[in-house]
Amino acid sequence: MDINQQLELKKEEILKKWFESTINSYPEDTAKFLKKSKNQFDNPVGSATLQSLENTFRAILEMNISKNYKYSQDIVEQNKIENALDPVIRIRAVQNFSASEAVAFVFELKNIVKSTIGKLNDQNSLEEFKGSSSYELFEHKVDLVALAAFNRFMKCRENIFLLKATEAKRRIHSAFERAGLVTELNENELVGSSKS
Amino acid sequence: MSKELKPDQLLDKIDHTPSCGNWMDTPVHIRPGMYCYAAKAESVETLGLPNARPWNPTDDDWKLPENWKEIIHNAIKERLERFRTFKIFMDICVRCGACADKCHFFLGTGDPKNMPVLRAELLRSVYRNDFTKAAQILKMIPGGEKLSGGRPMTLDVLKEWWYYFFQCTECRRCSVFCPYGIDTAEITIMAREIFNLLGLNIDWIATPISNCYKTGNHLGIQPHAFKEMIEFFTDDIEEITGVNVEPQFNKKGADILFITPSGDVFADPGTYTCQGYLILFKYLKDKYGLDVTWSTYASEGGNFGFFTSHETMKRLNAKMYAEAKRLGVKWILGGECGHMWRVIHQYMDTMNGPADFLEEPVNPITGTKFENAKSTKMVHITEFTADLIRHGKLELDKGRNANRIMTYHDSCNTSRGMGLLDEPRYVLQNVCDNFFEMPSNTIREQTFCCGSGSGLNAGENMELRMAGGLPRANAVKYVHEKFGVNTLGTICAIDRAALSTLMEYWVPDVKVYGIHELVGNALILQGEKERETDLRCDPLPGMEEEEDE
């Protein structure tokens, strides 16, 4: 059985553990709630996190790459991973996490898979399994997901600062406009940088 | 049966690891992105509020008056005697946790101190320590202090208060779920009053109230500029419709005085809502002879004094009745705003009333008596417009809004604060064909706050705003993906500004519109030319090609 089949077989257990370890990055009282409530509107963080992890895991399974694949090699592949990660990263980018804390959950997947699939391999020992080329490829995929998470985190943070800047520019510009100082400039041109 | 756990198995499952500590022992960390800048000294001085000086929330020294602990103790004591609600709310919470997961700030930030019960406990713990007999007796026993749930006031406690009571928008969603009806917003209101006794306001509140006190509106716009801005809209409307809407200012003896938040006059996209009002008033004047006047004195409907202290709120609100009296109008019509309406609906009459010089509001066109405004003499514009539509008094072309696939955000203050739930929806459904509700646990009384209300719509606390607005944005995203919703309608000036930014982060394809902007688009003015664009100068549905040519 190759690793993809094993990942597929143990998908639910892996996802459950991955979700729990991600949610455990929150304070204890918060984590309890985020794990418990299933309604996506009463618990937007818990449900978006779960959904995003599921999509990311599926993207890993569907990733058809070799060991030598470099992150930015295929823009379609890259977007697929980043889009899957977007909801969870977008949330963590505005919460009380440092950059490393915000993306650390991705690396946890390696340990979770080791402990879950390791148990499954009756024939091979865990050490042998870890040394297998298919496992190495899986770890490479997780590394790619980590890079994607970092990319997306930076985009979200840039987005936040752009929103701050755009609001400030709008405010200042309308003050100048009222004072008749910028009649020749139009507001869309001035804040147009937000579109780029 | 075999699946049931045996007692020893059950015992094995108990986690004996101690929890990571009591909330009281978790120190506050004032994180950039989550707090608003400190009030400027000159703004604090304008209203004669105490301890005006430059200070920085991230500094160790907050430059407090020497007797600050005494000031806080006396302030709590005075408020316990003055406000029965505050006294009751301090005593009756049983910490059942029903409110815990109902706060948008808790849901978005994941910070347990944003659970309403815990946020209130920040203050309640000091109340218990200082004012309850039980705590005083328990203090005599070793370790008894913790048993009572009390703690003494320290600088760290004050900083924690400040950080978290400025992470509450006073939206009152938590109070909907409280079995005792505790209104946590009132606890935040008390905490903020206490901050103002120590000079600890934020600038996003202090400078607008200072401006409002000096020039009549939060933005500090002088009367001539206010008038010029509305005349500028008049030119824009004439270009689009071919009709001069001829607004009237400070007209003595007009039927109705119209007051709206200054954000409608100076901040996009509220300015388009303002143009909607102008079109409506022109229509009513031409067709029914209704005489509405604007005021350059009462040029602000909003009231950030509400987020400062009862006294400040009263001082800023006073101009509404004063101007209505001076102009000799029959009653007052108010524009689309949130907190403005909480002040009007729940405080104005007792603060600055009785307005016995005004008439009980009756719509002169339909004859409808606005019973709910009998005492305040002030009617919300969506009630007024809904009444006109109900009686078939407006000619509307819905097709002009055919490209708007709408959902509606209930503003906290109008929905939970005054029960205005159906009128805006009624207006909306009469000016647009495509309307989809967000899920029921996110609208009407259970609406989620925009995350930027109660003076928190600053730029420097963007992370807080985006996290606090997440539950609202999450519901918008759902209807956007499910029904293709591209427009979020609202009747609050802060929402129009705040939700626009919120959407840019979470659901960028959705734009924010005021309800009367859509009314302005749909309303057919007498003698108007064929319109090619909407009020934003975007081509009307069906006009796109002509625009391209």
Side-chain angles (χ1 to χ4, degrees), chain B residues 232-509:
Chain B
F232 174 70
F233 296 153
T234 307
D235 294 344
D236 277 1
I237 295 168
E238 190 165 2
E239 222 163 272
I240 295 164
T241 66
V243 176
N244 181 345
V245 293
E246 299 170 311
Q248 310 185 105
F249 298 93
N250 310 325
K251 187 185 174 191
K252 287 197 171 175
D255 294 326
I256 291 170
L257 165 64
F258 179 67
I259 303 176
T260 201
S262 63
D264 283 353
V265 185
F266 291 98
D268 290 344
T271 50
Y272 305 113
T273 302
C274 191
Q275 293 173 36
Y277 307 143
L278 288 164
I279 291 174
L280 176 68
F281 299 153
K282 170 68 176 167
Y283 179 94
L284 298 177
K285 184 161 195 204
D286 284 354
K287 194 142 191 200
Y288 306 106
L290 189 76
D291 202 5
V292 179
T293 183
W294 295 71
S295 164
T296 56
Y297 169 62
S299 57
E300 178 65 74
N303 190 334
F304 275 24
F306 179 39
F307 314 130
T308 304
S309 67
H310 286 83
E311 288 70 23
T312 313
M313 165 169 61
K314 181 178 173 173
R315 285 161 90 181
L316 299 187
N317 171 262
K319 62 183 175 287
M320 289 194 179
Y321 282 155
E323 183 66 337
K325 193 171 192 178
R326 187 180 75 89
L327 297 177
V329 297
K330 291 182 181 137
W331 48 273
I332 313 171
L333 183 67
E336 295 184 12
C337 187
H339 74 276
M340 155 181 170
W341 282 98
R342 178 132 185 240
V343 174
I344 292 165
H345 190 72
Q346 297 183 338
Y347 299 97
M348 180 163 77
D349 192 18
T350 41
M351 276 187 321
N352 289 313
D356 45 14
F357 50 90
L358 294 173
E359 291 176 14
E360 287 175 15
V362 173
N363 187 338
I365 300 162
T366 62
T368 301
K369 262 192 184 179
F370 295 102
E371 295 282 350
N372 57 323
K374 203 171 173 175
S375 170
T376 60
K377 317 285 197 309
M378 190 151 174
V379 176
H380 193 287
I381 193 157
T382 55
E383 294 177 304
F384 180 67
T385 305
D387 178 52
L388 291 166
I389 295 173
R390 184 86 176 82
H391 287 86
K393 301 292 181 191
L394 302 181
E395 285 168 273
L396 299 160
D397 178 1
K398 278 179 162 186
R400 291 181 190 161
N401 290 318
N403 51 0
R404 300 283 120 222
I405 304 165
M406 300 292 307
T407 191
Y408 176 68
H409 162 72
D410 290 273
S411 307
C412 310
N413 284 297
T414 49
S415 59
R416 281 189 285 268
M418 64 183 293
L420 191 68
L421 303 166
D422 291 310
E423 291 84 346
R425 287 178 166 81
Y426 183 76
V427 175
L428 231 168
Q429 284 167 299
N430 276 283
V431 296
C432 292
D433 273 323
N434 315 299
F435 174 69
F436 300 93
E437 289 280 17
M438 285 182 271
S440 60
N441 48 347
T442 72
I443 54 166
R444 299 174 78 92
E445 291 91 344
Q446 295 188 45
T447 187
F448 276 118
C449 178
C450 64
S452 303
S454 81
L456 303 185
N457 193 22
E460 62 270 18
N461 62 338
M462 192 60 80
E463 283 85 336
L464 175 72
R465 287 174 49 197
M466 294 303 109
L470 164 63
R472 166 43 72 226
N474 178 52
V476 176
K477 192 175 175 205
Y478 173 78
V479 285
H480 168 65
E481 286 169 355
K482 190 163 183 189
F483 305 114
V485 163
N486 61 15
T487 310
L488 177 59
T490 179
I491 53 166
C492 167
I494 287 175
D495 279 337
R496 280 190 284 279
L499 290 173
S500 298
T501 305
L502 189 75
M503 289 303 112
E504 276 180 56
Y505 187 69
W506 295 108
V507 207
D509 294 332

Side-chain angles (χ1 to χ4, degrees), chain A residues 30 40 90 95-96 157 167, chain B residues 108 110 463 465 474 501 505:
Chain A
T30 306
Q40 73 177 101
R90 191 164 290 276
Q95 290 178 326
N96 192 14
R157 295 300 304 168
E167 274 196 356
Chain B
E463 283 85 336
R465 287 174 49 197
N474 178 52
T501 305
Y505 187 69

Side-chain angles (χ1 to χ4, degrees), chain A residues 124-177:
Chain A
N124 310 325
S125 71
L126 180 60
E127 286 310 310
E128 269 175 60
F129 169 68
K130 282 194 322 204
S132 70
S133 63
S134 68
Y135 183 77
E136 271 178 26
L137 183 62
F138 166 74
E139 288 214 327
H140 181 53
K141 286 181 182 176
V142 177
D143 290 341
L144 295 175
V145 172
L147 291 173
F150 184 63
N151 256 5
R152 190 49 60 139
F153 179 82
M154 280 308 295
K155 274 184 200 161
C156 289
R157 295 300 304 168
E158 283 165 9
N159 202 341
I160 287 288
F161 289 112
L162 195 58
L163 291 174
K164 286 186 189 184
T166 308
E167 274 196 356
K169 274 196 279 187
R170 277 194 190 127
R171 209 166 291 144
I172 292 165
H173 179 258
S174 61
F176 282 178
E177 194 178 54

Side-chain angles (χ1 to χ4, degrees), chain B residues 190-226:
Chain B
M190 294 305 150
R192 290 194 185 182
E193 283 209 2
I194 295 169
F195 297 152
N196 273 282
L197 298 173
L198 301 170
L200 295 179
N201 208 347
I202 58 171
D203 198 55
W204 194 255
I205 297 174
T207 294
I209 58 173
S210 161
N211 287 338
C212 199
Y213 194 58
K214 284 192 289 192
T215 60
N217 55 66
H218 291 156
L219 295 162
I221 311 303
Q222 294 179 345
H224 65 280
F226 185 86

